[in-house]
Amino acid sequence: DPTKVVRIALTNTASIAAWEGQIGQAAYSASKGGIVGMTLPAARDMGKIGIRVMAIAPGAVATPMIGALTPEIQTSLESAIPFPSRFVKAEEFAKLVLHIVDNNMLNGSVIRLDGASRLAAIVCACPQSQNTTSASPVSLKAALVGCSARKAKGLIGIVVK
């Protein structure tokens, strides 16, 4: 009976940006929102043939991209993560995938792996930055580095991805 045998456990990767997209990241946020939105209907459709569908929505993960940021930006990003105040480790993501595979009752849901972080819109009103609200994520990160007022009222949000 295919309704009693788990054949496959699909685990897709979304992002917390699916819920809290940032300025300049509409397409990225929409793509991750698509993964979130398809998880439950796909699980319902594929459950008939023994396939479970889950998604993980990580926050900032300790990757080479994050490692390329200045220590100052890394510290700023980590301080915005409530607990634990650090980046997600790749091993933690892998362990969650293994748990999803092991637990047959996990199906049709999205699990946030983010230390309770929430992304803020990015606004830097620093004199050095030029039109950062329409800039790319890379130039927004660069604006944060040169923003002398970032710890005062100039910085309202931070770049996470």
Side-chain angles (χ1 to χ4, degrees):
D1 182 3
T3 62
K4 299 195 190 245
V5 176
V6 175
R7 297 175 181 200
I8 297 173
L10 278 173
T11 303
N12 293 307
T13 302
S15 167
I16 61 173
W19 296 280
E20 298 113 26
Q22 294 182 304
I23 294 168
Q25 295 186 346
Y28 178 77
S29 182
S31 70
K32 298 307 179 175
I35 292 169
V36 168
M38 84 169 178
T39 300
L40 179 59
R44 288 175 172 166
D45 288 347
M46 292 191 234
K48 298 170 192 158
I49 55 172
I51 298 173
R52 295 186 294 116
V53 181
M54 289 289 292
I56 299 172
V61 179
T63 62
M65 182 185 81
I66 293 287
L69 299 173
T70 66
E72 182 182 44
I73 292 176
Q74 289 183 38
T75 300
S76 174
L77 294 172
E78 287 179 321
S79 70
I81 302 169
F83 186 79
S85 294
R86 61 171 175 75
F87 300 121
V88 175
K89 297 175 186 173
E91 299 83 33
E92 292 167 323
F93 187 94
K95 285 179 184 179
L96 182 54
V97 172
L98 290 174
H99 180 74
I100 290 169
V101 170
D102 283 344
N103 189 332
N104 286 336
M105 285 306 292
L106 288 176
N107 193 18
S109 295
V110 180
I111 300 172
R112 290 181 71 120
L113 186 62
D114 62 6
S117 61
R118 298 298 181 263
L119 301 179
I122 302 167
V123 178
C124 187
C126 304
Q128 298 96 327
S129 57
Q130 299 173 350
N131 193 20
T132 58
T133 57
S134 62
S136 71
V138 173
S139 62
L140 286 169
K141 288 174 186 170
L144 288 174
V145 174
C147 181
S148 61
R150 72 186 164 280
K151 290 186 181 176
K153 62 182 176 179
L155 179 67
I156 301 194
I158 56 170
V159 176
V160 173
K161 291 199 181 238

